[in-house]
């Protein structure tokens, strides 16, 4: 069993031999979107273009899908996808349901941190959250305002919440025996932005268990033009984390991790902002059946053959 967040990431992005087939086993890890909403409008994230509806998941659907996935053999459940899950009023209850009712061994969450106040963090830790990662992608207030495109005060809240999380986590762990891992990731920008980011990351490093870098993703070729205008070069596809980059084709996302949108669509892409990667409607189709639907198998076959013309992945920058 992987012991660190980077080991878990690397295990997913490596695509083990048993998963390199058109009909792979049920994935160990699935991310499910409690809400597609976010309180940031980051320039590097295509979510702000609002290319699909952005609403909250029906709670009954969420609970049915979690029970179904656990019975099918899913081991790790991420309670987020493209939205900010701290906007969901029942996030803490969702964590408790995943742990206590479904028995998921590993429940994880990624957040921008601005709404992860000490009170809400305590509720998540007590509910049994195993991993909390802060997406820390801004070097300072000036960069935050320019990139996240929201009020500068949220930057200070984000920093304060990261600092507070460490003490809250340790106190809850001592009282309950449940200890949540705390992590931070940051985008490895180019040039001057990279140097500015390194200094900021060093300031939060003492308050988390592990920090790692991610490339600037092209997000299915939806934000390339804007980022290039800023002088940054998005990476081709999703090749994992810096230090353990994978080949872009075949893409690990369609073989080893499930992604479910707020309205119950099973997606083949970790950046499905416009719905073109929907492989099955899980409001009508069981998860295991959707995971190996004809549409999904056809896409995997194309990736294995490295022939993506005519597929939903054809416009990805990796082909350009």
């Amino acid at each position: 069993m992987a012991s660190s967040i980077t080991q878990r990431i690397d295990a997913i992005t490596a695509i083990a031999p048993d998963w390199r087939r058109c009909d792979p086993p049920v994935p160990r890890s699935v991310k499910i979107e409690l809400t597609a909403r976010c309180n940031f409008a980051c320039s590097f994230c295509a979510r702000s273009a609002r290319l699909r509806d952005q609403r909250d998941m029906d709670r009954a659907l969420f609970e049915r899908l979690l029970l179904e996935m656990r019975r099918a053999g899913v081991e790790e459940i991420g309670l987020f996808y493209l939205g900010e899950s701290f906007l969901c009023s029942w996030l803490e209850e969702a964590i408790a349901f995943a742990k206590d009712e479904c028995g998921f061994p590993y429940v994880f969450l990624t957040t921008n941190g601005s709404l992860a106040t000490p009170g809400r963090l305590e509720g998540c830790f007590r509910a049994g959250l195993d991993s909390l990662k802060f997406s820390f992608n801004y070097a300072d207030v000036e960069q935050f305002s320019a990139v996240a495109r929201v009020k500068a005060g949220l930057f200070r809240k984000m920093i304060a919440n990261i600092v507070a999380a460490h003490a809250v986590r340790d106190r809850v762990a001592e009282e309950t025996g449940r200890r949540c891992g705390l992590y931070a990731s940051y985008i490895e920008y180019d040039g001057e932005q990279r140097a500015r980011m390194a200094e900021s990351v060093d300031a939060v490093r003492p308050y988390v268990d592990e920090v790692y870098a991610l490339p600037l993703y092209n997000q299915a070729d939806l934000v390339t033009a804007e980022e290039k205008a800023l002088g940054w070069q998005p990476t081709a596809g999703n090749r994992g984390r810096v230090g353990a980059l994978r080949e872009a084709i075949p893409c690990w996302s369609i073989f080893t991790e499930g992604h479910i949108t707020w309205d119950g669509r099973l997606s083949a892409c970790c950046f499905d902002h416009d719905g073109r990667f929907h492989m099955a409607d899980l409001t009508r189709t069981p998860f295991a059946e959707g995971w190996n639907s004809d549409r999904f198998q056809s896409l995997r076959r194309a990736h294995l053959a490295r022939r993506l013309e005519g597929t939903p992945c054809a416009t990805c920058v990796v082909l350009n």
Side-chain angles (χ1 to χ4, degrees):
M1 178 65 70
S3 59
S4 72
I5 191 171
T6 49
Q7 287 176 328
R8 289 180 181 274
I9 292 170
D10 295 348
I12 294 295
T13 61
I15 318 181
D18 287 349
W19 271 263
R20 288 179 178 263
R21 45 191 266 198
C22 299
D23 57 344
V26 167
R28 295 193 188 97
S29 179
V30 174
K31 293 174 182 173
I32 188 167
E33 191 170 56
L34 299 185
T35 180
R37 297 178 294 128
C38 185
N39 60 327
F40 285 9
C42 299
S43 63
F44 57 77
C45 179
R47 188 213 60 82
S48 58
R50 303 187 69 85
L51 300 175
R52 63 180 174 92
D53 286 344
Q54 297 176 6
R55 305 181 191 177
D56 298 346
M57 176 167 275
D58 175 75
R59 189 163 176 175
L61 175 62
F62 166 80
E63 293 181 353
R64 178 178 70 76
L65 288 174
L66 253 64
L67 288 168
E68 187 177 295
M69 288 189 289
R70 185 67 187 116
R71 286 193 295 265
V74 176
E75 299 175 359
E76 304 180 4
I77 191 74
L79 301 182
F80 70 101
Y81 179 24
L82 299 177
E84 171 51 58
S85 291
F86 275 93
L87 286 169
C88 177
S89 62
W90 45 277
L91 171 60
E92 296 88 336
E93 296 169 55
I95 296 169
F97 184 83
K99 293 298 292 186
D100 299 334
E101 299 297 325
C102 301
F104 280 97
Y106 189 75
V107 178
F108 62 105
L109 180 62
T110 289
T111 176
N112 64 39
S114 65
L115 302 174
T117 60
R120 295 212 66 188
L121 287 171
E122 180 168 351
C124 291
F125 297 154
R126 290 188 180 279
L129 187 66
D130 295 292
S131 168
L132 176 65
K133 189 199 77 172
F134 294 96
S135 288
F136 186 68
N137 300 315
Y138 322 95
D140 48 39
V141 172
E142 180 183 0
Q143 187 188 57
F144 175 80
S145 298
V147 174
R149 299 184 291 198
V150 291
K151 293 182 179 179
L154 285 177
F155 179 80
R156 290 182 284 272
K157 289 183 179 179
M158 178 177 63
I159 298 295
N161 289 339
I162 294 174
V163 173
H166 187 271
V168 174
R169 186 275 304 272
D170 288 353
R171 175 169 55 81
V172 171
E174 184 176 352
E175 294 173 1
T176 67
R178 285 180 158 177
R179 184 179 181 84
C180 179
L182 295 177
Y183 309 102
S185 69
Y186 64 97
I187 293 175
E188 191 172 64
Y189 294 112
D190 303 321
E192 178 188 350
Q193 299 287 355
R194 178 181 294 190
R196 292 170 65 191
M197 196 71 231
E199 183 177 349
S200 186
V201 168
D202 285 342
V204 303
R205 197 180 298 274
Y207 302 100
V208 294
D209 303 322
E210 191 175 1
V211 180
Y212 61 96
L214 296 172
L216 180 62
Y217 297 124
N218 74 307
Q219 299 206 359
D221 204 22
L222 290 172
V223 296
T224 303
E226 184 170 1
E227 297 307 315
K228 283 188 174 181
L230 294 172
W232 300 336
Q233 294 298 318
T235 187
N238 184 337
R239 298 178 57 207
R241 67 178 181 89
V242 174
L245 295 177
R246 312 301 188 184
E247 59 180 343
I249 303 174
C251 179
W252 61 267
S253 178
I254 69 172
F255 292 91
T256 60
E257 185 173 77
H259 301 87
I260 302 174
T261 61
W262 68 270
D263 52 355
R265 269 54 179 185
L266 178 61
S267 176
C269 183
C270 46
F271 296 118
D272 189 357
H273 290 286
D274 57 6
R276 82 182 101 135
F277 299 97
H278 290 172
M279 297 290 112
D281 181 355
L282 299 184
T283 66
R284 301 180 178 182
T285 305
F287 176 80
E289 182 179 328
W291 178 248
N292 279 317
S293 65
D294 291 343
R295 181 173 168 81
F296 225 151
Q297 291 194 50
S298 177
L299 183 59
R300 293 187 186 114
R301 187 174 297 109
H303 272 256
L304 291 170
R306 304 178 69 86
R307 296 182 61 86
L308 302 186
E309 297 83 355
T311 74
C313 304
T315 57
C316 182
V317 71
V318 72
L319 298 180
N320 297 331

